[in-house]
C-alpha cells in the first residue's frame, strides 16, 4: 500500500484572517481538527465567538463603505480575479494535497476540484466585464434604466465535502460584483481555506474585502446569519441547517441562497447505452467518496435489464479501489470524520433490513482504522425504505426496479429532495418529457454530472432556495435599482393648486 502522504509545512495552528491580518479569537478559544486517515488531531483552530464575528463584519463593512473595491471599475476587479485564478491554478498540486489530507478525498479528484475553483474566478472575471443591464425608452417621454449595485457584506457559510471549491463558488461572484465578505468554512475541513489570504494578497485584493473566521456553526455561523450588518447569506449544507438559517434570517428579510441536500435519482431505461449508463451511475454515487450533494444515490432500473444491470453494478462496486486519499490509484478514500463514518455505517445497518446487500456492507477490508467504508450496493429497495428516502452522503447506493415511465417518474419524485436527476435513454422524446416532469433543479440526460458554469445551480423542495451560477449569481449578489427620468414636462395632477398657491416665476 502507498505511504500516507503528509503535506510539507503543514500548519499546526490556524487563525482567522480579519482586515488583512491573521488573528486568534479575542478570548483565545480554539478547537481541534483531525485528519481522516488516522483520526488524530493535527492542528488547533481559532474558534470565533460573537466578538470575533463582530470584528470580521466591521472590517468587511468598513472595506465596503470606504475601500476602493466596491467602486472600482469592473475591469480592474476583473484583473484581480484573473490573477486569483492564475495563482490557484499554479498551486493546484499543493492545494489538492491539503484538501485531500484534510477531507479524505482521493487526490486525483481533489485536483479536479482545485482546477474548478480557478475556473470559478476566471468565469466571473469575464462575466462582470461583459455584464449588461436593461434600459427602456418611451420615446420623447421617459428613459428608464437599471442601476446594478453591490449590496454590502456577504456572509458565506460552506460545507466540508469539497471545501475549497465550494468556497470559490461563493467567493468569486460575491467579490466580483463588488461586495465584501465574511466566510465561515466547515469545522471538519478548515485547512485549505488558509490559502485564500495568501492568494488574495498576492493578487492585490484590498485588505478587509475578504475576512475569514473559523468556528462552530451554532455559535459563529448563527451569529453571522443574525448579524444586522450582513444583508446577504449564501449557505451550502444540510437541509435541516438550511431551515434553521432561513428562520434566523427571516426577521431581517435578508437575501438568502440555500444550496442543500439531495437524494437524486439516476433513471436507466432499457433502451439506454447501458455501458455508458453503468460508468456514469457507478461514478455518480461513489465519486468524491459519495459525499456529494448531487450524487445519484438512488438508481432506478427498468425491469427487463434490471438483473444484468444490478449484477454489473455490484461487480464494479466490489472492484472499486478504496485506499489512502493521497494515493493516485485510489477511487474511494476515507470519509471526512468519525462522526460521519458512524452515520454512514448506521445507514448501512438499516439498509441490511431494507434491501438485498450485493457489495460492501461495512468497513472496507484491509482498513482496520480510519473512516474507510466499502462501496455498498443495496438492490430491491422499496420506496418507503429509509435508505431510499434519506440522504446518506457516503458510498452507498439504493437500486430499485420499475416497469413503466409513469412508475419511474413516481419513484424519481418520491422524496422530499429535488436537487439533481440523471436519465439514461436513447429515446429523445422520452428523455425530454421525463426531464420536464421531474421535480429537480437540474437534470442530466445521458450524461455524467458536468455543468457549464453559465447554467443555474440549485434545487427545489428540501434541496434549496434560489439559484446560483452564471448571471444568476450576479443577480443574487447585487441589487437592481430602477431609475426613471422624464424627458418632457412632468405631467402631475395639480393637487392643492389654486390661484393663491401659484409659484411666482
Ligand atoms: P451542515 O449543514 O452541518 O454545515 C454546513 C455549514 O453550516 C458548516 O460551516 C457548519 O458549521 C455551518 N452551520 C451549522 N449550523 C449552523 C447554524 N445554525 N447557523 C449557521 N451555520 C451553521 O452541513 P455539512 O457540513 O454536514 O455538509 C453536508 C451537507 O451539505 C449535506 O447534506 C449535503 O447534501 C449538503 N451539500 C449541499 C450542496 C448543494 O450545493 N446543494 C453541496 C454540498 C453539500 P460547522 O462545520 O461548524 O458545523
Amino acid at each position: 500500500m502507498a505511504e500516507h502522504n503528509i503535506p510539507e509545512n503543514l500548519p499546526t495552528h490556524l487563525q482567522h484572517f480579519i482586515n488583512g491580518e491573521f488573528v486568534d479569537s479575542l478570548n483565545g478559544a480554539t478547537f481541534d481538527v483531525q485528519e481522516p486517515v488516522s483520526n488524530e488531531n493535527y492542528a488547533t483552530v481559532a474558534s470565533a465567538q460573537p466578538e470575533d464575528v463582530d470584528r470580521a463584519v466591521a472590517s468587511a463593512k468598513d472595506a465596503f463603505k470606504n475601500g476602493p473595491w466596491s467602486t472600482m471599475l469592473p475591469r480592474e476587479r476583473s484583473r484581480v480575479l484573473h490573477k486569483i485564478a492564475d495563482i490557484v491554478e499554479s498551486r493546484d498540486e499543493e492545494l489538492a494535497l491539503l484538501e485531500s489530507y484534510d477531507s479524505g478525498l482521493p487526490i486525483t479528484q481533489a485536483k479536479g476540484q482545485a482546477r474548478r475553483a480557478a475556473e470559478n474566478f476566471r468565469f466571473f472575471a469575464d462575466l462582470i466585464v461583459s455584464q449588461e443591464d436593461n434600459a427602456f425608452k418611451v420615446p420623447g417621454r421617459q428613459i428608464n434604466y437599471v442601476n446594478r449595485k453591490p449590496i454590502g457584506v456577504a456572509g458565506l457559510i460552506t460545507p466540508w465535502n469539497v471545501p475549497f471549491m465550494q468556497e470559490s463558488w461563493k467567493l468569486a461572484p460575491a467579490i466580483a460584483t463588488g461586495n465584501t465578505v465574511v466566510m465561515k468554512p466547515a469545522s471538519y475541513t478548515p485547512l485549505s481555506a488558509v490559502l485564500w489570504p495568501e492568494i488574495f494578497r498576492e493578487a492585490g485584493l484590498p485588505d478587509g474585502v475578504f475576512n475569514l473566521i473559523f468556528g462552530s456553526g451554532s455559535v459563529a455561523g448563527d451569529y453571522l446569519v443574525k448579524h444586522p450588518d450582513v444583508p446577504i447569506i449564501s449557505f451550502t449544507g444540510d437541509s435541516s441547517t438550511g431551515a434553521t438559517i432561513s428562520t434566523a434570517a427571516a426577521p431581517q428579510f435578508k437575501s438568502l441562497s440555500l444550496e442543500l441536500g439531495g437524494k437524486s435519482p439516476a433513471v436507466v431505461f432499457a433502451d439506454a447505452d447501458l455501458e455508458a449508463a453503468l460508468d456514469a451511475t457507478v461514478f455518480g454515487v461513489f465519486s468524491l467518496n459519495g459525499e456529494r450533494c448531487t450524487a445519484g444515490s438512488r438508481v432506478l432500473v427498468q425491469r427487463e435489464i434490471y438483473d444484468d444491470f444490478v449484477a454489473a453494478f455490484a461487480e464494479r462496486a466490489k472492484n472499486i479501489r478504496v485506499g489512502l486519499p493521497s494515493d493516485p490509484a485510489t477511487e474511494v478514500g476515507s470519509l471526512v470524520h468519525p462522526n460521519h463514518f458512524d452515520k454512514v455505517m448506521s445507514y448501512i445497518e438499516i439498509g441490511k433490513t431494507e434491501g438485498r446487500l450485493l457489495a460492501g456492507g461495512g468497513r472496507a477490508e484491509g482498513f482496520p482504522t480510519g473512516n474507510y467504508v466499502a462501496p455498498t450496493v443495496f438492490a430491491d429497495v422499496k420506496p418507503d425504505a429509509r435508505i431510499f428516502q434519506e440522504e446518506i452522503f457516503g458510498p452507498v447506493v439504493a437500486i430499485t426496479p420499475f416497469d413503466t415511465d409513469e412508475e419511474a417518474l413516481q419513484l424519481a419524485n418520491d422524496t422530499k429532495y429535488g436537487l439533481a436527476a440523471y436519465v439514461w435513454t436513447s429515446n429523445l422524446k422520452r428523455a425530454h418529457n421525463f426531464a420536464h416532469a421531474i421535480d429537480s433543479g437540474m437534470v442530466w440526460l445521458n450524461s455524467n454530472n458536468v455543468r457549464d458554469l453559465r447554467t443555474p445551480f440549485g434545487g427545489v423542495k428540501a434541496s434549496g432556495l434560489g439559484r446560483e451560477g452564471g448571471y444568476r449569481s450576479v443577480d443574487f449578489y447585487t441589487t437592481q435599482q430602477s431609475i426613471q427620468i422624464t424627458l418632457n414636462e412632468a405631467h402631475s395632477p395639480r393637487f392643492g393648486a389654486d390661484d393663491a398657491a401659484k409659484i411666482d416665476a
Side-chain angles (χ1 to χ4, degrees):
M1 197 201 290
E3 287 280 294
H4 186 26
N5 193 349
I6 299 172
E8 278 171 32
N9 306 323
L10 192 66
T12 54
H13 179 60
L14 314 183
Q15 294 180 295
H16 313 303
F17 184 72
I18 299 176
N19 202 19
E21 281 179 46
F22 286 100
V23 292
D24 280 317
S25 290
L26 287 169
N27 73 353
T30 60
F31 64 93
D32 294 328
V33 59
Q34 293 97 39
E35 57 86 15
V37 167
S38 68
N39 285 324
E40 281 175 11
N41 295 347
Y42 72 85
T44 55
V45 186
S47 180
Q49 308 302 305
E51 61 270 23
D52 305 303
V53 181
D54 279 336
R55 270 198 298 173
V57 173
S59 152
K61 187 178 172 185
D62 181 62
F64 184 75
K65 288 202 141 176
N66 305 318
W69 189 249
S70 55
T71 52
M72 260 185 197
L73 290 177
R75 170 61 66 201
E76 294 173 45
R77 285 205 296 265
S78 172
R79 277 201 196 99
V80 175
L81 265 81
H82 273 299
K83 269 194 210 148
I84 294 170
D86 291 341
I87 301 168
V88 170
E89 258 164 23
S90 72
R91 295 179 72 168
D92 71 342
E93 295 279 334
E94 173 198 3
L95 220 160
L97 263 179
L98 292 179
E99 193 78 317
S100 167
Y101 179 79
D102 200 22
S103 68
L105 285 181
I107 185 76
T108 48
Q109 296 169 39
K111 260 182 214 158
Q113 296 299 322
R115 286 191 289 271
R116 186 74 167 175
E119 201 50 42
N120 279 331
F121 279 92
R122 205 158 307 287
F123 177 83
F124 286 102
D126 290 340
L127 192 61
I128 50 162
V129 289
S130 55
Q131 171 80 42
E132 53 179 61
D133 280 308
N134 298 128
F136 305 97
K137 186 174 75 172
V138 186
R141 295 192 187 170
Q142 203 183 38
I143 291 176
N144 311 275
Y145 67 91
V146 172
N147 176 33
R148 189 184 285 275
K149 301 193 282 190
I151 299 173
V153 180
L156 312 179
I157 302 178
T158 52
W160 46 255
N161 61 331
V162 272
F164 195 81
M165 199 289 289
Q166 291 276 0
E167 291 155 17
S168 73
W169 186 343
K170 297 186 189 304
L171 285 167
I175 62 175
T177 45
N179 299 286
T180 58
V181 306
V182 176
M183 182 173 87
K184 193 208 89 63
S187 301
Y188 285 170
T189 52
L191 184 58
S192 54
V194 296
L195 294 184
W196 289 120
E198 291 171 29
I199 293 169
F200 288 155
R201 206 179 253 162
E202 191 182 334
L205 191 75
D207 286 349
V209 174
F210 168 75
N211 301 276
L212 171 69
I213 52 166
F214 296 110
S216 87
S218 56
V219 176
D222 179 66
Y223 192 78
L224 181 63
V225 167
K226 293 176 179 160
H227 202 294
D229 291 332
V230 181
I232 333 168
I233 300 290
S234 176
F235 167 79
T236 299
D238 199 68
S239 297
S240 62
T241 316
T244 306
I245 287 180
S246 193
T247 308
Q252 295 179 59
F253 306 104
K254 298 193 177 202
S255 293
L256 268 189
S257 171
L258 302 174
E259 304 287 358
L260 308 176
K263 189 78 185 177
S264 301
V267 185
V268 185
F269 285 94
D271 63 7
D273 174 342
L274 295 178
E275 222 22 64
L278 183 65
D279 288 346
T281 49
V282 170
F283 180 80
V285 68
F286 296 126
S287 53
L288 305 180
N289 297 343
E291 298 163 324
R292 177 178 206 146
C293 54
T294 50
S297 51
R298 292 182 298 141
V299 178
L300 311 177
V301 185
Q302 200 156 23
R303 185 90 55 191
E304 52 255 58
I305 54 158
Y306 185 75
D307 288 342
D308 288 348
F309 193 86
V310 166
F313 197 106
E315 205 43 44
R316 286 282 191 93
K318 284 181 198 157
N319 289 335
I320 284 177
R321 282 186 293 268
V322 177
L324 275 174
S326 56
D327 182 348
T330 292
E331 291 169 328
V332 167
S334 168
L335 299 194
V336 69
H337 192 274
N339 293 346
H340 187 58
F341 174 83
D342 289 346
K343 175 185 152 183
V344 173
M345 292 294 261
S346 76
Y347 272 110
I348 290 176
E349 289 312 307
I350 293 167
K352 288 176 184 170
T353 66
E354 293 183 329
R356 184 161 54 98
L357 179 66
L358 293 180
R363 178 176 275 287
E365 236 172 79
F367 294 92
T369 58
N371 311 317
Y372 294 98
V373 173
T376 296
V377 179
F378 290 107
D380 311 344
V381 179
K382 299 273 183 302
D384 59 356
R386 286 187 62 191
I387 61 163
F388 188 93
Q389 293 292 336
E390 298 173 23
E391 184 179 45
I392 300 172
F393 219 58
V396 181
V397 69
I399 311 185
T400 303
F402 70 86
D403 288 298
T404 62
D405 290 43
E406 292 70 31
E407 194 191 349
L409 185 63
Q410 196 179 357
L411 287 168
N413 285 341
D414 186 22
T415 71
K416 67 174 181 172
Y417 295 107
L419 189 59
Y422 308 84
V423 182
W424 291 89
T425 174
S426 55
N427 179 330
L428 196 62
K429 274 192 202 158
R430 167 189 271 161
H432 287 283
N433 288 323
F434 200 87
H436 296 178
I438 286 185
D439 297 332
S440 69
M442 296 165 285
V443 183
W444 277 270
L445 297 178
N446 297 326
S447 168
N448 173 15
N449 178 334
V450 179
R451 193 177 71 87
D452 183 316
L453 289 177
R454 291 170 295 187
T455 60
F457 186 102
V460 298
K461 304 196 285 187
S463 291
L465 187 72
R467 291 289 179 277
E468 294 197 46
Y471 70 80
R472 285 143 186 112
S473 296
V474 173
D475 282 351
F476 175 68
Y477 288 105
T478 55
T479 182
Q480 297 179 49
Q481 179 183 46
S482 72
I483 311 270
Q484 285 75 221
I485 314 141
T486 297
L487 294 178
N488 60 7
E489 298 298 313
H491 293 292
S492 306
R494 305 194 64 236
F495 279 23
D498 55 27
D499 287 350
K502 269 186 188 157
I503 302 168
D504 288 333

